[in-house]
Amino acid sequence: MIRLREDNIVCITSDGNYSHINTVGGECFIVTSQLGQVEMLIGTQLPSSYGRFVRIGRGLIINMRYLCYVNVSKQKLYLIDDSGHKYVQNASREALTQLKNMTEKNYRNG
């Protein structure tokens, strides 16, 4: 069992049948659930966080609050938490392009 506030979750990465939950400050918890199961739990247990957690491709869920930089050409995504800890994640060009477009659209709309 793990209990975390949604603001403490920076990103969740897939590792086969396991998921790594990266938290503010660089701590990592491993759970025995596939990323899809974790995604469903977030949707049911944190309904107020709709839109805050975004699935990127097959292996990554990010907390949009910590999104800092998307580099489509290098296929990298950069997140920085409140304590200044940096997280660099790999993702496909297609997934990052979709994320970039969604972020730009949301920024323009409000």
Side-chain angles (χ1 to χ4, degrees):
M1 183 180 112
I2 183 171
R3 284 187 50 146
L4 296 168
R5 288 188 4 235
E6 62 188 78
D7 286 343
N8 285 342
I9 301 170
V10 177
C11 64
I12 306 165
T13 57
S14 173
D15 184 13
N17 289 329
Y18 299 92
S19 294
H20 298 257
I21 301 173
N22 297 286
T23 63
V24 170
E27 192 126 15
C28 180
F29 297 95
I30 300 172
V31 295
T32 56
S33 298
Q34 294 176 337
L35 196 62
Q37 295 168 317
V38 174
E39 183 179 28
M40 285 185 356
L41 284 172
I42 289 171
T44 58
Q45 294 185 8
L46 301 172
S48 64
S49 68
Y50 178 77
R52 175 179 277 189
F53 290 95
V54 176
R55 177 108 183 229
I56 310 296
R58 298 185 65 182
L60 180 64
I61 297 172
I62 65 165
N63 186 335
M64 292 296 288
R65 175 181 179 187
Y66 301 113
L67 179 63
C68 177
Y69 178 58
V70 176
N71 188 326
V72 176
S73 63
K74 291 189 178 182
Q75 296 180 270
K76 298 242 185 251
L77 171 70
Y78 297 83
L79 304 151
I80 297 179
D81 68 23
D82 294 334
S83 67
H85 194 272
K86 183 164 92 171
Y87 306 80
V88 180
Q89 299 293 328
N90 296 317
S92 70
R93 284 191 198 325
E94 297 80 23
L96 291 177
T97 299
Q98 288 176 353
L99 174 64
K100 183 176 176 265
N101 292 338
M102 180 190 75
T103 303
E104 288 173 346
K105 179 182 175 187
N106 289 342
Y107 180 75
R108 276 180 275 182
N109 291 337

